[in-house]
Amino acid sequence: VLDLAMADHFRAFADVVERDGGPTYATICRGVADDPPVLSLLDAAPAAQQRPLLLLAAVHFLLLSGDDHPLREFYDTVAAVRGSDDGAKGSQPEGDVARIFSGFCAERRAQLEELIATRTTQTNEIGRCNALLPGLCHVAELHGRKTALSLLDLGTSAGLNLLFDDYFFSYRAPEGISRVAGSESSGVRLRCTVRGGFDGLPDLAPPALVERVGLDLSPVDACSDDDARWLLACQWPDNPERFGRLRAAVENARATARAPRLEQGDMVEDLADVAATMSGEEPLVVFHSWVAAYLDEERQRDLAAAVRALDGTGGRPVHHLYFEAAYETPGLPTPPRSEPGGRGDVATALVLVPAGGGEPVRLADAHPHGRWLRWWPATRPGPKGRPAAPAPPPPLR
Ligand SMILES: C[S@@+](CC[C@H](N)C(=O)[O-])C[C@H]1O[C@@H](n2cnc3c(N)ncnc32)[C@H](O)[C@@H]1O
């Protein structure tokens, strides 16, 4: 029997990935939508996890683990991990990928069901550091860069965004002007197009940090081969640049001297307890990216209140910085863009609720994976390190 709702999920997912440059999954998902035995694999998952990416990740995981099935030839990522001399994708593979995928699922059904029953989809997108870095620099400038900061990342996954100062950043405006920041010799190299110019962007030298802590319901251990492979398996096979960047960040996390402390817990319920373990007096930035959508609107309000309640405890300023899709986070304040319109992109808003009861400020909009950034110049801090009064919106262009 065809599960119509699940079939529709696969068709919708095919459209999404196709728009975002994922032809392999688009073709596979359209095939799965008409393939009852493959659709039924997701029956093994808890209801909240029954989504296309879970099945796709389970298959990807087996291929990345060394499975020799011909399906591997369609995955750029598998070739990248295993080298193309083992028959993984080297030249254009032949055959119908959707049919070959279906055959793989039939032959590996038991292994797939076990993965689907026990795993949840996971992302840790370090491209988001392209937005977080200027956000954190902005906070450092609010303090005149006279003090180091501490960071608490909610929904941290593997904590990779807490290691942004290990990465190399290159920001380029369409006019050809560029600025670089971070660790020049880093194997983790991030690129970002700056829309609207550099006006108002803070100095991008990463701020000094005292403590870095991550909190997650299911933290990912970058040092575990199994955890790291699952994280990689949740990516799409057609974007080797993004995949390579994540691999490099995992390698960095294993080698770095500044490994964050990761705590298991709920970002609302356990926030105060975890914050209490961070005992310094330096300003604390509680931040999160693409996490708040996991909370319903009321719990999003609870989260905003819980962070506000930390501000000033023990004399410590606590800032709340978030990079979230406003349409999914109605319970968090998101001021309107300071320039109306837009190019129809699905932007993510970078918002700061400054310590000391300040009003929320929309610092920037950016691509969800940090491919581009639009900094709103009106948010430049005042000359004494205080935020300037909001400037009137620029004229329509
Ligand atoms: C989409 S991932 C984003 C990870 C990371 N912030 C990033 O931008 O790459 C969402 C993460 O939030 C975690 N998460 C979901 N609900 C949570 C909650 N209530 N408390 C803590 N973590 C949660 C998930 O386990 C997952 O690691």
Side-chain angles (χ1 to χ4, degrees), residues 131 134-135 138 199-200 202 320-329 332-342 345-354 358-367 372-380 387-388 390-391 394:
H138 176 85
D199 188 24
H320 189 184
L321 179 72
Y322 42 94
F323 184 57
E324 300 281 358
Y327 60 90
E328 293 198 309
T329 55
L332 295 177
T334 305
R337 298 157 59 113
S338 54
E339 186 179 84
D345 299 295
V346 185
T348 305
L350 181 71
V351 175
L352 175 70
V353 183
E359 289 296 312
V361 187
R362 187 167 182 149
L363 297 175
D365 281 17
H367 180 274
W372 57 264
L373 173 86
R374 172 67 165 100
W375 189 264
W376 302 114
T379 57
R380 169 181 251 152

Side-chain angles (χ1 to χ4, degrees), residues 121-126 128 153-157 161 215-218 220 265-268 288-291 294-295 299:
T121 54
Q122 260 294 350
T123 22
N124 200 179
E125 179 47 63
I126 53 162
R128 295 182 185 135
D153 179 15
L154 308 179
T156 194
S157 187
N161 288 342
L215 172 62
D216 201 288
L217 273 184
S218 346
V220 174
D266 180 85
M267 64 196 288
V268 183
H288 46 92
S289 56
W290 279 86
V291 176
Y294 287 74
L295 308 175
R299 296 243 301 146

